[in-house]
Amino acid sequence: MKRKIVLSLIIVVFTLALLAGVLAGCSNIKNIFEVNATNLAHFANFTYSNGDNKINFSLKSSEEAWVRISWDSAVVCNEIFLYESGNNVTGFEVYVNDNLVASQDEIGKMRNVYLGTVTATSITIKVTSCKGTYKLTDIGIYNLSRSRNFHSTAFVRLNTEGDPFEGVDISQIKNYTDYIVYPLVYFDSQGNLTASGSDLAEVTQTIRSFNMSAKIHLAILPAPAEDENENDVRHSAFKNHADTLSKNVATLLKNAGFDGAVFGFDFSFGENLFDYGSYNDFIETLRGQLMSPYEIGVFVNPDATMFNKQSKAMIDNFYVLTPNLDDNTLCTFSETVCETLETLKDTDLPKSKIYLTLPFYSYDKESETLYKYSDYAETLGEYNNTITLEDGTLLRFAGYGFVRDMTAFCYDYGIAGILSVCPHYDASGSLSLANAIKEAMQ
């Protein structure tokens, strides 16, 4: 089912300008991510589809091929890391004790596969399709801890008239640890706030009725007058009325029971940190009004050039925009996860404050059409990420296996968590992406 949906509210919040041009990380994911655990592959035997038996891992071919990793005694593991020289694998499968447990469409510079806790006497990696000659250079097989705090945040759109939760399927969002809600509150160029008809205290009370420990943040959006645009409002409010806006935000959060505020910024503005001075000054003013435990959240591009060192210390949560938010052609694991984290490594953002965004839709930028994950979940199944429509349009989703693996890697890498965008587009039942996130955290 094709749905023409304008992403206006999401774009207002995120301000997606220039996103496609910022992923130019200088770091390399293998060098910046070191697994602090025993690599069980170091104690294994390797049997290859061409008949070779070796004591190390390497798989090179231009056609279907496999390697079987085996142990004399069973091992307990939950995750596999594969590394490729280049990006020529277009399909691979993973078998544990000869049972298929994962199938994905690319490896690239690094690709993890989250298994859940399994007991294995053998693991088989099989490349099922490729474009030219591929070479897998390394493998890691680990049993990694799942014992730290990790935030799964839902970016939830509520109704602005009547019951804010009317038509909202609570079952789709109840398993998250944190929430950002919108579009309930707006600010004008003078720093004044306008709330929708919803009772804001009712919003926080309802969420805590099904998730008592949840942190609930409020996205506060610009409200342009007739002769303004969203960025005009930002520039005026942040630069000229920061004190008024900050005081109004603090009062609203305290009265309604929210844990923090989240702002979007104009990423297309400015060439350097001096141009963004008013934004940094606003963060400092807002921090003066919102003392801990109230939190400040911002949406940022992976290069995070907008904020200076002092502002970065004052901000609690950085929601990092991944390129698949507004272009389904940029949704491979390497582009979405690896290159984003590589770019972030060259900033000074603390990993403990970083969230990667995860869309529950596919957005075809050329036709400006959004496709809900729930409409295609059964066709995608557990392993697939792509669908070709009857008109030839190729859609790429973050499918169930992709989301599970991405969440697991973000957990392993040490960032704060992930942010699910449009979680109301999730499927129900066994293919729910919320379930995939939860599975990877266990």
Side-chain angles (χ1 to χ4, degrees):
M1 181 186 304
K2 184 168 88 170
R3 297 175 182 266
K4 279 275 186 182
I5 301 178
V6 179
L7 293 179
S8 57
L9 273 174
I10 297 176
I11 292 173
V12 166
V13 178
F14 290 162
T15 317
L16 291 171
L18 302 182
L19 177 60
V22 301
L23 291 182
C26 299
S27 302
N28 182 279
I29 193 68
K30 188 173 182 180
N31 294 332
I32 66 177
F33 173 64
E34 183 177 351
V35 182
N36 187 23
T38 300
N39 186 353
L40 299 171
H42 291 165
F43 309 98
N45 301 305
F46 299 87
T47 303
Y48 291 84
S49 51
N50 65 2
D52 288 347
N53 289 282
K54 299 181 180 179
I55 58 172
N56 54 23
F57 177 88
S58 178
L59 187 63
K60 182 178 181 180
S61 182
S62 58
E63 57 186 12
E64 182 179 292
W66 53 262
V67 53
R68 179 184 174 93
I69 304 111
S70 60
W71 296 267
D72 296 334
S73 300
V75 299
V76 176
C77 57
N78 62 3
E79 198 153 7
I80 297 171
F81 290 86
L82 294 168
Y83 302 87
E84 180 184 358
S85 175
N87 190 17
N88 288 332
V89 172
T90 57
F92 72 99
E93 297 173 340
V94 178
Y95 296 79
V96 174
N97 302 331
D98 298 324
N99 297 312
L100 179 68
V101 297
S103 176
Q104 288 291 291
D105 50 9
E106 61 94 25
I107 294 174
K109 57 186 68 177
M110 193 221 73
R111 182 64 159 82
N112 72 314
V113 176
Y114 188 70
L115 307 173
T117 302
V118 298
T119 301
T121 55
S122 69
I123 291 175
T124 301
I125 309 299
K126 181 179 182 180
V127 175
T128 56
S129 61
C130 60
K131 50 182 181 183
T133 300
Y134 60 88
K135 183 179 181 181
L136 305 189
T137 59
D138 201 1
I139 187 171
I141 302 174
Y142 303 98
N143 189 32
L144 299 179
S145 172
R146 285 292 181 272
S147 59
R148 75 175 181 90
N149 289 331
F150 185 84
H151 298 267
S152 60
T153 302
F155 184 58
V156 182
R157 181 176 181 176
L158 299 178
N159 297 306
T160 57
E161 297 181 2
D163 177 5
F165 289 89
E166 183 179 356
V168 177
D169 186 348
I170 298 298
S171 66
Q172 291 182 320
I173 61 173
K174 67 179 182 180
N175 290 325
Y176 290 87
T177 65
D178 301 85
Y179 301 87
I180 301 174
V181 297
Y182 78 107
L184 305 180
V185 176
Y186 292 83
F187 65 93
D188 65 17
S189 58
Q190 305 298 308
N192 302 308
L193 298 182
T194 302
S196 72
S198 300
D199 184 334
L200 296 177
E202 179 185 345
V203 170
T204 56
Q205 290 165 8
T206 298
I207 293 177
R208 291 198 171 95
S209 72
F210 61 81
N211 190 339
M212 185 176 297
S213 62
K215 282 191 174 182
I216 309 169
H217 299 86
L218 180 66
I220 303 179
L221 314 180
E226 186 174 342
D227 58 344
E228 294 178 315
N229 60 42
E230 287 85 2
N231 290 330
D232 292 334
V233 176
R234 286 190 182 92
H235 299 329
S236 175
F238 293 168
K239 182 177 181 179
N240 302 317
H241 303 281
D243 192 58
T244 298
L245 178 57
S246 298
K247 288 179 179 178
N248 288 337
V249 169
T251 299
L252 183 148
L253 297 185
K254 294 171 184 176
N255 290 341
F258 286 94
D259 296 293
V262 181
F263 285 91
F265 290 79
D266 177 12
F267 297 162
S268 63
F269 171 72
E271 298 293 335
N272 53 53
L273 290 180
F274 295 103
D275 293 331
Y276 289 122
S278 59
Y279 289 174
N280 288 281
D281 291 343
F282 168 67
I283 293 297
E284 183 175 354
T285 302
L286 182 62
R287 182 81 280 171
Q289 294 293 331
L290 285 182
M291 305 300 291
S292 180
Y294 291 101
E295 297 183 349
I296 298 172
V298 296
F299 295 102
V300 296
N301 279 331
D303 59 0
T305 57
M306 179 175 296
F307 299 108
N308 61 27
K309 185 175 182 179
Q310 185 174 357
S311 292
K312 289 174 182 176
M314 293 178 178
I315 295 169
D316 300 287
N317 304 308
F318 293 89
Y319 303 102
V320 179
L321 308 184
T322 49
N324 54 347
L325 284 178
D326 73 336
D327 190 347
N328 72 33
T329 64
L330 298 173
C331 195
T332 68
F333 196 88
S334 288
E335 292 160 334
T336 301
V337 182
C338 297
E339 292 180 17
T340 299
L341 292 174
E342 288 171 0
T343 303
L344 282 167
K345 180 62 173 64
D346 297 322
T347 73
D348 55 357
L349 294 187
K351 288 197 292 185
S352 61
K353 295 184 176 183
I354 293 171
Y355 297 73
L356 294 194
T357 47
L358 178 62
F360 281 30
Y361 57 80
S362 178
Y363 185 67
D364 182 44
K365 196 169 187 177
E366 183 175 349
S367 64
E368 298 184 344
T369 305
L370 182 147
Y371 302 83
K372 294 181 179 181
Y373 168 75
S374 58
D375 291 338
Y376 301 92
E378 289 190 11
T379 304
L380 289 166
E382 183 179 356
Y383 301 135
N384 293 325
N385 301 312
T386 58
I387 289 177
T388 302
L389 303 181
E390 292 182 358
D391 64 2
T393 301
L394 179 65
L395 301 181
R396 187 175 180 93
F397 291 87
Y400 188 95
F402 185 105
V403 169
R404 179 179 55 200
D405 295 343
M406 175 180 174
T407 304
F409 184 69
C410 289
Y411 186 109
D412 301 329
Y413 188 79
I415 66 173
I418 59 170
L419 173 66
S420 299
V421 181
C422 295
H424 53 294
Y425 294 160
D426 199 1
S428 58
S430 61
L431 294 174
S432 163
L433 299 182
N435 288 344
I437 294 168
K438 187 176 180 180
E439 182 181 342
M441 294 166 60
Q442 298 173 340

